[in-house]
Amino acid sequence: VFFAVVFIFPRCQCPTHSHTYSQGNTSMAVSNIRYGAGVTKEVGMDLQNMGAKNVCLMTDKNLSKLPPVQVAMDSLVKNGIPFTVYDNVRVEPTDASFMEAIEFAQKGAFDAYVAVGGGSTMDTCKAANLYASSPHSDFLDYVSAPIGKGKPVSVPLKPLIAVPTTSGTGSETTGVAIFDYEHLKVKIGITSRAIKPTLGLIDPLHTLHMPARVVANSGFDVLCHALESYTTLPYHLRSPCPSNPITRPAYQGSNPISDIWAIHALRIVAKYLKRAVRNPDDLEARSHMHLASAFAGIGFGNAGVHLCHGMSYPISGLVKTYKAKDYNVDHPLNSFVICRSPHFPHGLSVVLTSPAVFTFTAQMFPERHLETAEILGADTRTARIQDAGLVLAETLRKFLFDLDVDDGLAAVGYSKADIPALVKGTLPQERVTKLAPRPQSEEDLAALFEASMKLY
Amino acid sequence: VFFAVVFIFPRCQCPTHSHTYSQGNTSMAVSNIRYGAGVTKEVGMDLQNMGAKNVCLMTDKNLSKLPPVQVAMDSLVKNGIPFTVYDNVRVEPTDASFMEAIEFAQKGAFDAYVAVGGGSTMDTCKAANLYASSPHSDFLDYVSAPIGKGKPVSVPLKPLIAVPTTSGTGSETTGVAIFDYEHLKVKIGITSRAIKPTLGLIDPLHTLHMPARVVANSGFDVLCHALESYTTLPYHLRSPCPSNPITRPAYQGSNPISDIWAIHALRIVAKYLKRAVRNPDDLEARSHMHLASAFAGIGFGNAGVHLCHGMSYPISGLVKTYKAKDYNVDHPLNSFVICRSPHFPHGLSVVLTSPAVFTFTAQMFPERHLETAEILGADTRTARIQDAGLVLAETLRKFLFDLDVDDGLAAVGYSKADIPALVKGTLPQERVTKLAPRPQSEEDLAALFEASMKLY
Ligand SMILES: NC(=O)c1ccc[n+]([C@@H]2O[C@H](COP(=O)([O-])OP(=O)(O)OC[C@H]3O[C@@H](n4cnc5c(N)ncnc54)[C@H](O)[C@@H]3O)[C@@H](O)[C@H]2O)c1
Ligand SMILES: NC(=O)c1ccc[n+]([C@@H]2O[C@H](COP(=O)([O-])OP(=O)(O)OC[C@H]3O[C@@H](n4cnc5c(N)ncnc54)[C@H](O)[C@@H]3O)[C@@H](O)[C@H]2O)c1
Ligand SMILES: [Zn+2]
Ligand SMILES: [Zn+2]
């Protein structure tokens, strides 16, 4: 019932508009993707079709030795495409690591890019393409406000083919590139439809190489993309709503199309994530998760995310000592991952606050909170609507417990004393936090961090 | 369960490929759309953002006097966009009417197009844009084989903004333009990703002007797009499967992404079509149907359609005397529609054979047939899997009866004596008929037409 109301009377709330209908903030820029086991073998042909003659293949040091990169390189060689490899992508990139890749791209004068890796690689490649195509820009020009200037991109970029190797970020479908702005200790992003990859090659074979914790953590990213985008402010309630479509943000609030992607991705997470984590040979489960990652990406890439993501950036930015299992060379058997400095997996940083966040937001759209709890396995037949947040939170706690997630922020090295810094680090994330269905004061944020110290 | 099997082992059936996996025929070129009541008012700004200075606005003679065209023109004027109106689009266009529009476009040397209307207008505008951008091509060059040469499009086209005013074809999202090839008496098409509109503006306010039978018939088109695309051959079973992605057809068989759109569109049809037909003021129902039309378009635009569409082209092409209610000037009160020559509504031509078609195809994917019957309201709990086709057919008959559909091909002027001609007219439609889940002999086709003579 709620859905119908939202969707049918798109009444603009913007103070500068006095009309009762019309608003048209819902612009669906959807993505080109090709799905199939082995599609990476076609990347050379795709580049040839694009007329590429000087390609940059980006990846990280760990993946550069693994089959996904090998398969892509073989295809480039086979199709006679001249290319240069850049494998210095930093896992959870920083402004400095972006800069290094940008410089490489500027010197190389490439006419196309291929990113083979997780969100870290794809995001770095997007930034490299953007700034190499816009050599007179300052780095902060395209970084989201308030930290950057958030300028719209008007230069033409080179084609970029993204080949995801994790099942998490959906970066192959989004116009987003995230990095750690080191001296401010916050994660922040560049958001523009212009940096969306030209094509995503979604090849489930790559998922067979992922260590268990990478599957789990990137799967939590899918989970939160779906849950958050489904519960963002509906598109017609978001403000400001610029009258010219070109100046409207990519993140426009939940809408009838992003909803479809979010719910579908959530169903897949509910059905397959546990299997995908437990069994590295479960190609069925891992294939479904690989596609779910793209689905959730298309959803949140149009709708946006909110508090789990907004609060995650200081969580991963301020971490001191956490040692991510499977993201480390100490376990040579089931881990191929080299990490050059302490970092905190993005998916884990978003999911740890999810029970607290959805308890907080549920009062706005309780039906949607209950609906997602049901998809995640809760029996909601007798649930009261005013308990929607608690029901979803409880369902999430159980899900995370089953998947061996650390017991809250305390378990990953935070204490109450860190809360002011965590709150301060969340404030600049208004690009996403203002999409939360419920406005938050600094006290609210502090309470959310506190409630996330312990999960079980 | 079936779904999992299809989706997980994408085994290539193409004789030239001997590998067990890999195939990657699933390429999702999805569409840019903006949805909202009143979005048409923004078309002038969109054109300005595109730098357009000489725009062609296409529509048909009936719509040119109605609000959708007025609103679009006002927006062009307000934004200072110079434009010329072409309102000579033929409802259910022909090669001759395409030619006329193409000539107009060639002379006008336009730098952008806006199509305001139903499938007839949008398709005509796509063809005009294509051939005006490719002045040295013969008309048959881009027409689908076997009637045309089916050449791939390599010229760049001008931007085209599509503003649908019917809720049916989804042409605002597809790379398809259909016309009646008069001297062969068959409907045939141009199919290329290149002619897909740059942007679709989906404005539910336009649906308020549609006469009831236009709502019903275009709604049947949505119904069949959804049902057919959901039951086409799965993408990995389609052949041939060219190894170079650029030569793969737009219609690639059902796949995990088109399935989502098809099912979602079907749910909306089940819930809202009857309401939309009955009550011209039911903005909620008509809004949902307007979006469903685009959803089904994205689905079938990637997956394809099969027998209802393949057989519909001779049905509408060979019609002699049918007088479409509401598509006629004789009912001035609830009909604004001028039709300059006898024609047969596309949506009606596809839906009349649907009970027979799905009875015939169900043996291939019975679960999917049952699933769609359930969505359309059947109680399938006790249905046997071998009755899937009958259950769906019965459900469709009831649905059509409730919506006052003529009682089969006999009721629209056909007799047994016409069957050979109808079969002959279906044979050149192999672009779609070969996507049917079950191959058909000429005898099969004759039996399907015969079974469609009477519905109730
Ligand atoms: N652009 C977006 O839309 C978006 C969305 C969410 C998150 N992000 C960002 O993406 C980054 C996280 O990306 P991620 O979660 O995909 O992980 P990642 O790219 O950081 O990779 C994590 C680790 O897994 C390894 N790895 C990746 N694929 C592997 C495979 N198939 N086999 C073995 N090892 C593999 C990598 O080498 C790396 O060590 C963060 O910076 C996050 O902020 C971006
Ligand atoms: N390109 C594709 O993907 C695709 C898909 C399916 C069908 N088609 C083709 O589209 C054509 C049918 O298009 P259609 O069903 O949209 O109808 P249409 O464009 O033929 O229009 C039907 C009638 O309705 C009138 N009309 C349209 N909108 C109106 C409104 N809002 N108010 C009042 N009158 C209105 C028109 O003036 C016309 O007289 C056929 O040629 C069919 O083959 C194309
Ligand atoms: Zn994320
Ligand atoms: Zn159709």
Side-chain angles (χ1 to χ4, degrees):
Chain A
V1 170
F2 169 74
F3 182 66
V5 175
V6 167
F7 165 31
I8 293 312
F9 303 108
R11 203 168 307 227
C12 182
Q13 304 292 309
C14 172
T16 64
H17 292 173
S18 60
H19 44 73
T20 51
Y21 52 70
S22 172
Q23 121 100 297
N25 265 315
T26 307
S27 180
M28 306 294 152
V30 203
S31 317
N32 288 329
I33 56 180
R34 193 177 320 129
Y35 167 80
V39 283
T40 310
K41 288 186 199 158
E42 301 176 348
V43 68
M45 252 183 299
D46 286 313
L47 287 163
Q48 206 172 55
N49 294 337
M50 290 168 179
K53 297 201 162 50
N54 179 24
V55 170
C56 176
L57 189 158
M58 289 212 170
T59 190
D60 65 41
K61 278 260 162 32
N62 168 44
L63 277 160
S64 69
K65 285 164 256 135
L66 294 178
V69 171
Q70 277 309 324
V71 173
M73 290 201 298
D74 289 351
S75 172
L76 294 177
V77 170
K78 203 176 141 198
N79 288 277
I81 307 279
F83 69 98
T84 316
V85 174
Y86 178 85
D87 70 355
N88 224 10
V89 164
R90 190 186 192 279
V91 174
E92 306 282 325
T94 61
D95 47 337
S97 79
F98 265 21
M99 292 294 201
E100 197 202 284
I102 290 165
E103 215 171 285
F104 186 87
Q106 276 166 343
K107 287 202 184 118
F110 302 109
D111 59 9
Y113 294 82
V114 179
V116 184
S120 299
T121 296
M122 293 185 280
D123 287 6
T124 303
C125 197
K126 289 173 183 177
N129 186 7
L130 172 62
Y131 289 97
S133 305
S134 186
H136 303 299
S137 296
D138 279 338
F139 183 66
L140 285 180
D141 281 356
Y142 296 123
V143 172
S144 300
I147 289 177
K149 296 193 196 130
K151 281 197 189 161
V153 178
S154 57
V155 294
L157 270 62
K158 303 296 180 196
L160 189 167
I161 300 181
V163 187
T165 62
T166 58
S167 305
T169 68
S171 181
E172 67 276 17
T173 71
T174 70
V176 183
I178 306 281
F179 64 96
D180 203 338
Y181 199 40
E182 286 192 294
H183 72 274
L184 290 185
K185 286 197 176 291
V186 287
K187 279 201 143 192
I188 182 84
I190 300 164
T191 304
S192 164
R193 293 191 185 92
I195 62 172
K196 188 179 288 217
T198 320
L199 175 66
L201 293 177
I202 302 186
D203 188 339
L205 296 181
H206 300 329
T207 64
L208 300 177
H209 307 284
M210 261 192 292
R213 290 328 290 175
V214 178
V215 178
N217 291 329
S218 57
F220 297 143
D221 202 15
V222 179
L223 173 68
C224 289
H225 291 162
L227 286 174
E228 289 173 69
S229 64
Y230 195 59
T231 53
T232 51
L233 269 186
Y235 71 98
H236 62 288
L237 298 178
R238 182 181 58 71
S239 64
C241 49
S243 61
N244 190 330
I246 214 174
T247 52
R248 293 179 193 150
Y251 286 178
Q252 59 193 312
S254 64
N255 58 67
I257 299 196
S258 64
D259 287 348
I260 297 177
W261 296 108
I263 287 295
H264 201 76
L266 193 65
R267 281 191 217 283
I268 299 176
V269 169
K271 185 161 177 191
Y272 290 109
L273 179 56
K274 287 185 186 176
R275 277 173 53 181
V277 173
R278 296 271 157 80
N279 180 357
D281 298 325
D282 191 337
L283 181 57
E284 181 187 341
R286 291 193 171 200
S287 294
H288 279 283
M289 280 304 302
H290 212 37
L291 209 43
S293 162
F295 290 175
I298 300 175
F300 96 82
N302 280 298
V305 281
H306 57 82
L307 287 172
C308 300
H309 271 75
M311 294 167 61
S312 82
Y313 299 127
I315 293 175
S316 51
L318 296 171
V319 80
K320 294 157 235 166
T321 55
Y322 187 76
K323 198 141 170 295
K325 215 195 303 167
D326 280 2
Y327 286 69
N328 196 293
V329 280
D330 296 339
H331 298 89
L333 259 183
N334 74 341
S335 161
F336 311 84
V337 185
I338 294 167
C339 173
R340 281 157 298 155
S341 76
H343 85 286
F344 197 76
H346 169 72
L348 185 59
S349 72
V350 292
V351 89
L352 286 175
T353 57
S354 63
V357 162
F358 293 107
T359 309
F360 175 76
T361 55
Q363 61 176 240
M364 284 302 291
F365 303 118
E367 292 87 352
R368 288 194 167 214
H369 287 71
L370 267 191
E371 183 187 352
T372 55
E374 186 176 3
I375 292 172
L376 289 170
D379 181 350
T380 60
R381 279 169 303 180
T382 57
R384 297 181 314 170
I385 197 80
Q386 60 265 49
D387 293 337
L390 295 174
V391 173
L392 177 54
E394 200 44 45
T395 311
L396 285 168
R397 283 198 194 91
K398 195 165 162 299
F399 195 76
L400 300 186
F401 182 84
D402 290 349
L403 279 166
D404 277 329
V405 172
D406 302 278
D407 189 6
L409 293 177
V412 301
Y414 284 102
S415 73
K416 272 200 179 182
D418 299 310
I419 291 180
L422 290 168
V423 171
K424 186 158 163 270
T426 306
L427 298 179
Q429 303 298 337
E430 54 170 56
R431 173 184 68 98
V432 292
T433 53
K434 71 172 184 231
L435 282 168
R438 185 177 159 188
Q440 333 85 45
S441 63
E442 294 192 27
E443 291 70 40
D444 290 331
L445 290 173
L448 289 172
F449 282 115
E450 181 155 3
S452 305
M453 285 292 164
K454 208 172 148 40
L455 291 181
Y456 313 121
Chain B
V1 170
F2 167 75
F3 182 68
V5 174
V6 167
F7 163 35
I8 293 313
F9 302 108
R11 203 167 304 227
C12 180
Q13 304 291 308
C14 170
T16 64
H17 292 174
S18 60
H19 43 75
T20 51
Y21 51 68
S22 170
Q23 120 99 300
N25 265 315
T26 308
S27 180
M28 305 296 151
V30 202
S31 315
N32 288 328
I33 56 180
R34 191 173 328 127
Y35 167 79
V39 284
T40 311
K41 288 188 200 158
E42 301 176 349
V43 68
M45 250 183 302
D46 287 313
L47 288 163
Q48 206 173 56
N49 294 336
M50 289 167 180
K53 299 202 162 49
N54 179 25
V55 171
C56 177
L57 190 158
M58 290 212 171
T59 190
D60 65 41
K61 279 258 163 27
N62 169 44
L63 278 159
S64 68
K65 285 164 256 134
L66 294 178
V69 171
Q70 277 308 326
V71 174
M73 289 202 298
D74 288 351
S75 172
L76 293 178
V77 171
K78 200 175 143 198
N79 288 278
I81 308 280
F83 68 99
T84 314
V85 174
Y86 179 85
D87 70 354
N88 223 11
V89 164
R90 190 188 192 280
V91 173
E92 306 282 326
T94 63
D95 48 338
S97 79
F98 267 20
M99 291 297 199
E100 197 203 284
I102 290 165
E103 218 171 281
F104 185 87
Q106 275 166 342
K107 288 202 185 119
F110 302 108
D111 59 9
Y113 294 82
V114 179
V116 183
S120 299
T121 296
M122 293 185 279
D123 287 9
T124 302
C125 196
K126 290 173 183 176
N129 185 8
L130 172 62
Y131 289 96
S133 304
S134 187
H136 303 299
S137 295
D138 279 338
F139 183 66
L140 285 180
D141 280 357
Y142 297 124
V143 172
S144 300
I147 288 176
K149 296 193 195 129
K151 280 196 188 163
V153 178
S154 56
V155 293
L157 269 62
K158 303 297 179 196
L160 188 166
I161 300 181
V163 186
T165 62
T166 58
S167 305
T169 68
S171 181
E172 69 276 16
T173 71
T174 70
V176 183
I178 306 281
F179 64 95
D180 203 338
Y181 199 40
E182 288 193 292
H183 72 274
L184 290 186
K185 286 197 175 291
V186 287
K187 278 202 142 190
I188 183 83
I190 300 163
T191 305
S192 164
R193 292 190 187 93
I195 61 171
K196 187 178 290 216
T198 321
L199 175 65
L201 294 179
I202 302 186
D203 187 339
L205 296 182
H206 300 330
T207 63
L208 299 178
H209 307 283
M210 262 191 292
R213 291 328 290 174
V214 177
V215 178
N217 290 330
S218 58
F220 297 142
D221 201 15
V222 179
L223 172 69
C224 288
H225 291 162
L227 286 174
E228 288 174 69
S229 64
Y230 195 59
T231 53
T232 51
L233 270 184
Y235 71 98
H236 62 287
L237 298 177
R238 182 179 59 70
S239 64
C241 49
S243 61
N244 190 331
I246 212 173
T247 53
R248 292 178 194 150
Y251 285 179
Q252 59 194 311
S254 64
N255 58 67
I257 298 195
S258 63
D259 288 348
I260 296 175
W261 296 108
I263 286 296
H264 201 76
L266 194 65
R267 281 190 217 284
I268 298 177
V269 169
K271 186 162 176 191
Y272 291 108
L273 179 56
K274 288 185 185 175
R275 277 175 51 182
V277 173
R278 298 269 157 82
N279 181 357
D281 298 325
D282 191 339
L283 181 58
E284 181 186 342
R286 290 193 172 199
S287 294
H288 279 284
M289 280 305 302
H290 212 38
L291 209 42
S293 162
F295 290 174
I298 301 175
F300 96 81
N302 280 299
V305 280
H306 57 82
L307 287 172
C308 299
H309 270 77
M311 293 167 63
S312 82
Y313 298 126
I315 292 175
S316 51
L318 296 171
V319 81
K320 294 157 234 165
T321 55
Y322 187 76
K323 198 140 170 295
K325 216 195 305 170
D326 280 2
Y327 288 70
N328 196 293
V329 279
D330 295 338
H331 298 86
L333 259 182
N334 75 340
S335 161
F336 312 85
V337 185
I338 295 167
C339 173
R340 282 155 301 154
S341 78
H343 86 285
F344 197 76
H346 169 71
L348 184 60
S349 73
V350 293
V351 89
L352 286 175
T353 57
S354 63
V357 162
F358 295 108
T359 309
F360 175 76
T361 55
Q363 63 176 238
M364 284 302 289
F365 305 118
E367 294 86 353
R368 288 193 168 217
H369 287 70
L370 267 190
E371 184 186 350
T372 55
E374 187 176 2
I375 291 171
L376 289 170
D379 181 352
T380 60
R381 279 169 303 179
T382 57
R384 296 180 315 168
I385 197 81
Q386 60 267 47
D387 293 336
L390 294 174
V391 173
L392 177 54
E394 200 43 45
T395 311
L396 285 168
R397 281 197 195 91
K398 194 166 160 301
F399 194 75
L400 300 186
F401 183 83
D402 291 348
L403 278 166
D404 277 329
V405 172
D406 302 277
D407 188 7
L409 293 177
V412 300
Y414 285 102
S415 72
K416 271 198 178 180
D418 299 309
I419 291 181
L422 289 167
V423 171
K424 188 162 161 265
T426 306
L427 299 178
Q429 304 297 339
E430 55 170 57
R431 172 184 67 99
V432 292
T433 53
K434 70 173 185 231
L435 282 168
R438 185 177 160 189
Q440 333 86 44
S441 63
E442 295 191 25
E443 290 71 40
D444 290 330
L445 290 173
L448 289 172
F449 282 114
E450 181 155 1
S452 304
M453 285 292 163
K454 211 176 145 33
L455 291 181
Y456 314 122

